[in-house]
């Protein structure tokens, strides 16, 4: 089975440019997550979707960041305009919906990330 | 203060050693606790998952959660060089799907 697919794997661009990161979740998964990982702050949740609908975007750092999920098999994270402090590894993850019962966690499956450098 | 705290290390041990990795958390609403392993330039992958307090064992790995002290632990027995990775603890339960991760501990097991 194909896992979560992210593109590009690496992106180097100049400050002020628009950056678009892409994610294809695992087929059949109901949840999609966008994370950012830096040495200083670790792995932080930016936003997540359930059935293509944004549920919680409280982790999005500012208005320069936006995310969309136009269908169940595709999501984008856009930064416009980009700044050097946005340099990080951005991960996408997906999971199934919860099972019934109290112990209902479904694991999140991560892609291999996009390494973003803003010069 | 972060909701999940983890010592970033790095931690270096000889092959065969018992490794103990720990996290603390502050949010009493957390119900799910997990450990993810992340190899260099790869995404995290789920290693262990525990619901509420208790222990869970899987081969050489044991996860423990003590909700009274808000303490999460992962033990690795007979550590191998292939265990060298970053280990991230995570907690969730305030809202389904939402996880809060620790900083990650870099572990190196040398032959």
């Amino acid at each position: 089975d194909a896992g979560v697919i992210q593109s590009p794997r690496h992106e180097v661009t100049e400050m002020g440019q628009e950056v678009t990161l892409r994610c294809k979740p695992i087929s059949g998964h109901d949840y999609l997550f966008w994370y950012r990982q830096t040495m200083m702050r670790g792995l932080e949740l930016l936003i997540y979707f359930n059935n293509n609908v944004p549920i919680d975007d409280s982790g999005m750092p500012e208005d320069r960041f936006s995310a969309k999920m136009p269908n169940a098999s595709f999501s984008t994270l856009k930064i416009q305009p980009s700044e050097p402090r946005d340099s990080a590894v951005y991960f996408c993850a997906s999971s199934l919906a919860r099972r019934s019962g109290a112990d209902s966690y479904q694991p999140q499956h991560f892609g291999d990330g996009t390494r973003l450098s803003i010069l | 203060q972060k909701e999940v705290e983890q010592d970033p290390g790095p931690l270096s041990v000889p092959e065969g050693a018992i490794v103990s990795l720990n996290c603390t958390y502050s949010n009493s609403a957390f119900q799910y606790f997990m450990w993810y392993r992340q190899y260099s330039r790869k995404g995290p992958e789920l290693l262990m998952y525990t619901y509420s307090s208790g222990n869970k064992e899987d081969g050489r790995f044991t996860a423990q959660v003590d909700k009274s002290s808000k303490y999460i632990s992962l033990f690795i027995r007979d550590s191998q060089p292939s265990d060298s990775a970053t280990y991230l603890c995570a907690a969730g339960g305030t809202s389904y799907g939402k996880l809060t991760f620790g900083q990650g501990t870099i572990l190196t097991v040398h032959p």
Side-chain angles (χ1 to χ4, degrees):
Chain A
D1 283 343
V4 174
I5 299 172
Q6 292 187 245
S7 64
R9 288 298 311 275
H10 303 274
E11 175 87 13
V12 180
T13 192
E14 291 189 346
M15 174 177 159
Q17 297 298 307
E18 177 179 292
V19 173
T20 299
L21 311 180
R22 296 173 175 80
C23 175
K24 178 178 168 57
I26 294 172
S27 177
H29 280 194
D30 309 275
Y31 284 80
L32 184 138
F33 307 84
W34 281 102
Y35 290 88
R36 176 172 69 176
Q37 187 174 41
T38 62
M39 290 294 291
M40 289 295 295
R41 301 175 67 88
L43 191 63
E44 301 175 288
L45 177 65
L46 300 177
I47 184 172
Y48 72 100
F49 296 81
N50 179 24
N51 292 328
N52 314 337
V53 176
I55 301 301
D56 187 339
D57 65 355
S58 60
M60 295 286 261
E62 48 197 277
D63 291 345
R64 297 184 296 105
F65 285 69
S66 62
K68 293 183 179 179
M69 192 165 186
N71 57 62
S73 59
F74 184 67
S75 177
T76 60
L77 178 68
K78 190 170 293 188
I79 308 172
Q80 167 63 22
S82 58
E83 297 182 5
R85 60 194 167 115
D86 302 330
S87 298
V89 182
Y90 290 81
F91 287 101
C92 176
S94 69
S95 78
L96 292 167
R98 68 194 309 167
R99 301 186 300 261
S100 61
D103 183 6
S104 59
Y105 173 73
Q106 292 283 352
Q108 295 182 19
H109 299 264
F110 284 76
D112 284 338
T114 295
R115 192 170 294 270
L116 177 64
S117 296
I118 309 296
L119 306 177
Chain B
Q1 182 188 5
K2 296 186 69 171
E3 283 191 306
V4 179
E5 299 273 3
Q6 182 177 8
D7 184 345
L11 185 61
S12 181
V13 301
E15 183 175 353
I18 296 174
V19 176
S20 172
L21 303 169
N22 307 292
C23 293
T24 59
Y25 65 94
S26 57
N27 191 334
S28 300
F30 287 149
Q31 297 281 351
Y32 311 104
F33 305 92
M34 46 230 57
W35 286 92
Y36 278 80
R37 180 174 60 193
Q38 184 177 19
Y39 290 114
S40 179
R41 298 189 176 269
K42 304 291 272 185
E45 56 179 347
L46 182 67
L47 189 61
M48 298 285 287
Y49 154 59
T50 308
Y51 172 70
S52 195
S53 280
N55 294 358
K56 192 167 189 178
E57 189 172 319
D58 184 2
R60 297 183 296 109
F61 298 88
T62 300
Q64 288 184 352
V65 176
D66 182 345
K67 291 192 75 178
S68 62
S69 59
K70 297 188 176 67
Y71 205 76
I72 313 166
S73 300
L74 177 71
F75 299 95
I76 307 173
R77 292 182 298 280
D78 188 24
S79 56
Q80 302 295 309
S82 59
D83 296 329
S84 299
T86 298
Y87 289 80
L88 300 131
C89 61
T94 56
S95 175
Y96 181 73
K98 188 169 184 176
L99 293 180
T100 301
F101 282 82
Q103 190 82 357
T105 299
I106 300 170
L107 172 67
T108 301
V109 181
H110 51 86

